[in-house]
Amino acid sequence: MTEAASTTQPDGVATPWSITLEDVSVTYPNGTRALRGVSAHIEAGEMVSIVGLSGSGKSTLIRTINGLVPATSGRVVVGGHEVTGLRGRALRQLRGHIGMIFQSFNLADRTSVLNNVLVGRFAHTPSYRTLLGLTSAADKELALRCLDSVGMLEKVWARAGALSGGQKQRVAIARALCQQPSVMLADEPVASLDPPTAHAVMGDLARINAERDLTVLINIHMMDLARQYSRRMIGLRDGEIVYDGPAASATDADFEQIYDRPIQSRDRMGSAL
Amino acid sequence: MTTQTTELRMPPKPRNRWRTAAIVAALCTFTVLTCLPAIGGVELDFAGMVRNWANGADKMGELLRPDFSFLPRTITPMLETLAMAVAGAALAAAASIPLTLWAARPSNPNRVTRQVVRFIINVNRAVPDLVFAMVLVAMVGVGVLPGLITLFLFDVGVVVKLVSEAIEGADHHYIEAGQAAGGTQSQINKATLLPQSWTLYANQWLYSLELNVRISAILGIVGAGGIGRLLDERRGFYAYDDVSVIILEILVVVMIIELCSNLLRSRLR
Ligand SMILES: Nc1ncnc2c1ncn2[C@@H]1O[C@H](COP(=O)(O)OP(=O)(O)OP(=O)(O)O)[C@@H](O)[C@H]1O
Ligand SMILES: [Mg+2]
């Protein structure tokens, strides 16, 4: 994928990609219809939050973008590359340009922080080098820079399992950054963190979006975090988009549309900083 | 605070009294049936046991009087046994790494290759170690080599089965992260799954070493080298005082190996 490789600028920061979903539906093998005809366009460099009740299809939506969940019908286009139908090497190459972070951090707990961050280099490393445990000096340097950018450099040799939740999520962000991604996906990145840590991690993501001009998509439960850190909000309900507009000006009626009831104080995390 | 006690209404606990009774009855029937010689069950000759009691008691008596002057002659065979045990466990440990990765679902999503490896391992495990040893003695001749190969095969079976099952029983969220980063399965296995699972491996490797010392002691009986051969020879001469020394020695060595292995294991996190 030479076209994709050429999007990396000399300074190591990738150019952002746009995302287009055209009438995307996902039906899981057990028959669950998780997405029904979802269409949306996300501009390169935008930061968008996706909200919705549990089971509304947020995780499914975000996973169709890097092909972890294949779209059953419709088209998913990321940075000019059609994800639908890609497999094998081509899919892995594309994923190399899409960073992802998870609610449960998904680190290998028994190995070092550095090894975890180097996972971000998989798509850019020949398999035999990984198998022989050979890390290029450039990759290591990049991993250290990414750790430094989330303030975790001093933990580089720590076991990932020995970190706190917030520290783990930062390492996971460093791992995704280490891919030099053009898109960053985040599936409820702060759902298992306390309020101050949640704000810190959201702040990191907003900063990455601003500094690196990276397209960022975040699934999130807390309305106030969605409003505070993103300008655009997409509301999902039963696998369909029921709101797509500015996060700040969403009305109570819009919330009722998304959550099936008026917004309540417990939907907010509060400014517990 | 009001302490008015409203009665808690618990949902009825599901009971399977009939099923339990049926299982117990079936087990009892089966046990009784297997002891009825008329229908091919084992014959329990209690009278014979009583008659031969004196005989056994004599031998026990001899066993209780070990002749320690025999000890020096046991050293070389014992070292041979230990060498067999350690080398077998080490070779098996090396072979078990890729085989286990092929046999476990998280490290090998391909059903076909997974089932093939599992099938071979299951066949390997179905063959009793003494049978392996006997066949191998016939093939490569009496000595340490058939014992070594037997232990290797036995250990590979144990380690691959237990570790691949342990890997399947554990959570591997990081695999999704590796896939999302565009990694191949082998990259994910090498860089994250192996470091994550190596204590599982190490535990079983040590365990297989423990088993080896015990097994290799009897492998000698079919000609596969080591202390077992000496044991068989002395038993053939009815030299129960020497047999007793060998048994005690095996006991001590097994205990020492187990002690070391437990110490090492407690250090694994
Ligand atoms: N692997 C799967 N197999 C079958 N059904 C699934 C699978 N993953 C999700 N689903 C179903 O698809 C629907 C949408 O799930 P999804 O995980 O996308 O929701 P979500 O909005 O992320 O929920 P949450 O907020 O709880 O994470 C749910 O009904 C869920 O049960
Ligand atoms: Mg989800």
Side-chain angles (χ1 to χ4, degrees):
Chain A
M1 198 168 293
T2 46
E3 188 189 348
S6 68
T7 59
T8 305
Q9 292 163 356
D11 61 348
V13 178
T15 53
W17 280 355
S18 65
I19 301 168
T20 309
L21 303 171
E22 279 176 22
D23 201 23
V24 173
S25 295
V26 170
T27 306
Y28 282 107
N30 66 3
T32 311
R33 292 197 62 190
L35 286 184
R36 304 156 192 260
V38 167
S39 296
H41 178 77
I42 290 151
E43 287 299 335
E46 239 185 322
M47 179 152 170
V48 179
S49 53
I50 302 169
V51 297
L53 286 174
S54 191
S56 58
K58 302 184 297 292
S59 299
T60 307
L61 175 64
I62 221 164
R63 279 170 170 72
T64 59
I65 292 167
N66 61 5
L68 281 181
V69 171
T72 315
S73 66
R75 260 159 52 92
V76 179
V77 182
V78 185
H81 307 278
E82 177 147 2
V83 182
T84 351
L86 276 191
R87 41 181 58 76
R89 191 182 168 77
L91 179 60
R92 290 197 303 271
Q93 288 287 331
L94 181 70
R95 283 178 179 168
H97 297 275
I98 306 176
M100 183 164 184
I101 60 177
F102 305 83
Q103 172 176 352
S104 46
F105 323 126
N106 293 11
L107 300 178
D109 283 342
R110 289 172 174 279
T111 185
S112 71
V113 163
L114 179 63
N115 276 343
N116 272 287
V117 176
L118 285 170
V119 166
R121 300 308 298 163
F122 275 174
H124 310 262
T125 312
S127 266
Y128 81 91
R129 288 193 67 99
T130 312
L131 292 186
L132 295 177
L134 301 172
T135 310
S136 74
D139 279 358
K140 193 170 168 191
E141 163 86 20
L142 179 61
L144 295 179
R145 284 198 184 289
C146 293
L147 274 174
D148 191 36
S149 76
V150 290
M152 290 294 297
L153 186 56
E154 70 192 81
K155 293 285 186 189
V156 59
W157 300 118
R159 263 164 50 114
L163 303 177
S164 72
Q167 292 174 323
K168 282 182 184 172
Q169 196 58 295
R170 291 209 154 122
V171 171
I173 292 175
R175 175 177 64 193
L177 288 180
C178 198
Q179 290 176 239
Q180 300 184 303
S182 295
V183 172
M184 179 77 103
L185 308 173
D187 192 4
E188 295 184 25
V190 298
S192 30
L193 302 177
D194 61 78
T197 314
H199 276 286
V201 166
M202 288 301 287
D204 278 342
L205 288 172
R207 186 169 51 77
I208 289 161
N209 167 252
E211 279 175 9
R212 307 194 177 215
D213 197 26
L214 195 63
T215 314
V216 180
L217 228 66
I218 304 180
N219 284 348
I220 196 157
H221 270 306
M222 296 295 158
M223 297 306 308
D224 54 339
L225 288 182
R227 277 179 156 164
Q228 187 176 342
Y229 291 98
S230 65
R231 242 163 294 151
R232 177 171 166 200
M233 188 169 89
I234 291 178
L236 275 182
R237 182 170 161 182
D238 286 337
E240 287 177 277
I241 294 189
V242 292
Y243 180 86
D244 186 352
S249 62
T251 63
D252 284 357
D254 294 325
F255 286 116
E256 236 180 296
Q257 179 70 254
I258 299 168
Y259 286 122
D260 207 14
R261 60 164 174 72
I263 186 143
Q264 297 171 357
S265 61
R266 64 166 184 251
D267 300 331
R268 301 194 174 90
M269 176 167 264
S271 299
L273 270 174
Chain B
M1 228 166 73
T2 52
T3 51
Q4 193 203 2
T5 48
T6 52
E7 201 183 325
L8 277 178
R9 265 196 301 146
M10 282 234 296
K13 189 177 171 190
R15 279 176 208 266
N16 291 323
R17 220 179 285 159
W18 286 113
R19 216 185 55 178
T20 315
I23 291 173
V24 170
L27 280 176
C28 290
T29 319
F30 186 72
T31 311
V32 171
L33 286 182
T34 52
C35 296
L36 290 180
I39 55 162
V42 290
E43 196 166 350
L44 290 181
D45 184 3
F46 291 105
M49 280 189 213
V50 175
R51 254 181 282 122
N52 291 325
W53 164 244
N55 204 347
D58 273 359
K59 291 196 177 125
M60 283 303 286
E62 277 186 69
L63 276 177
L64 286 177
R65 288 189 298 276
D67 174 11
F68 285 104
S69 65
F70 183 69
L71 197 60
R73 270 191 61 193
T74 66
I75 301 297
T76 316
M78 188 40 127
L79 287 178
E80 215 173 82
T81 288
L82 279 175
M84 223 156 75
V86 173
L91 291 174
S96 71
I97 296 176
L99 286 173
T100 303
L101 293 181
W102 277 322
R105 184 194 293 266
S107 48
N108 180 9
N110 184 327
R111 238 190 83 144
V112 177
T113 53
R114 197 169 67 229
Q115 296 297 354
V116 168
V117 174
R118 281 193 189 177
F119 179 75
I120 294 170
I121 290 296
N122 282 336
V123 169
N124 171 34
R125 282 172 52 81
V127 181
D129 36 14
L130 274 179
V131 173
F132 266 137
M134 260 151 61
V135 172
L136 283 163
V137 165
M139 280 167 60
V140 302
V142 173
V144 180
L145 188 61
L148 181 69
I149 302 176
T150 302
L151 292 177
F152 169 80
L153 291 171
F154 174 80
D155 291 347
V156 165
V158 171
V159 175
V160 171
K161 181 174 165 66
L162 294 182
V163 178
S164 66
E165 277 171 7
I167 287 179
E168 294 194 347
D171 276 336
H172 302 278
H173 296 300
Y174 55 86
I175 289 182
E176 196 183 24
Q179 288 168 342
T184 61
Q185 186 68 46
S186 51
Q187 285 179 314
I188 294 171
N189 288 348
K190 165 63 177 55
T192 52
L193 195 141
L194 272 184
Q196 200 73 3
S197 313
W198 100 263
T199 49
L200 300 176
Y201 275 105
N203 252 313
Q204 296 308 330
W205 291 340
L206 288 170
Y207 178 57
S208 71
L209 179 65
E210 284 175 34
L211 289 178
N212 280 4
V213 180
R214 239 167 292 174
I215 298 168
S216 59
I218 47 167
L219 284 186
I221 294 174
V222 295
I227 192 83
R229 223 160 116 209
L230 188 63
L231 179 84
D232 193 43
E233 183 198 302
R234 301 318 295 167
R235 196 185 53 88
F237 293 143
Y238 303 103
Y240 286 102
D241 44 356
D242 295 349
V243 168
S244 167
V245 172
I246 297 174
I247 292 177
L248 282 178
E249 195 181 352
I250 292 174
L251 205 71
V252 170
V253 169
V254 166
M255 271 173 14
I256 292 173
I257 294 272
E258 232 165 88
L259 202 75
C260 298
S261 146
N262 281 338
L263 263 176
L264 277 174
R265 266 197 252 184
S266 66
R267 284 168 179 263
L268 295 176
R269 284 178 300 162

